[in-house]
Amino acid sequence: MSMRIDVGFERPLNREQKVVFLLTIAGLAKSRSVRWTQGGHGAVIMGIAMGRERVAEALATTDLPVDSIHSSLSEEEDEQADDALGAAGKGRERVRPIGR
């Protein structure tokens, strides 16, 4: 299940904050790409079966000025997103080893 999460910021991110954001999102195994919008006032995260709550938890560890987080999934789909890859994952992210 492909999804899109829009993240809005209180003010445009500077270069260092953008790097922190990218590294934080890259640490989520289900994220696929990030695009900057509105001149640094927002970002679009594309991924597979990644819930809004997981992104919020990851960004809570940073001091970035996050204003809003919206998902393209409905509320039901968003709640089930982390379990969408099957019972084997049990809600945890699956990590593919580098080189495979």
Side-chain angles (χ1 to χ4, degrees):
M1 167 187 344
S2 295
M3 42 63 57
R4 167 187 169 145
I5 294 181
D6 296 303
V7 181
F9 303 105
E10 296 172 5
R11 59 184 181 278
L13 299 183
N14 62 32
R15 187 175 183 170
E16 291 175 12
Q17 290 173 321
K18 285 182 179 181
V19 170
V20 169
F21 180 83
L22 288 173
L23 290 175
T24 302
I25 298 304
L28 300 173
K30 297 176 185 178
S31 65
R32 296 294 177 247
S33 67
V34 173
R35 305 261 176 175
W36 297 107
T37 61
Q38 306 167 2
H41 273 282
V44 175
I45 304 166
M46 300 300 289
I48 298 176
M50 182 171 55
R52 181 177 58 231
E53 187 174 322
R54 183 163 307 268
V55 173
E57 288 173 2
L59 292 176
T61 63
T62 67
D63 61 348
L64 297 175
V66 176
D67 185 38
S68 63
I69 301 175
H70 301 286
S71 177
S72 64
L73 303 176
S74 69
E75 290 295 323
E76 290 178 8
E77 292 173 328
D78 188 60
E79 290 174 7
Q80 298 171 356
D82 290 323
D83 296 330
L85 293 179
K90 303 243 189 241
R92 294 177 300 207
E93 294 185 58
R94 294 190 290 180
V95 179
R96 185 176 67 199
I98 296 174
R100 288 192 176 182

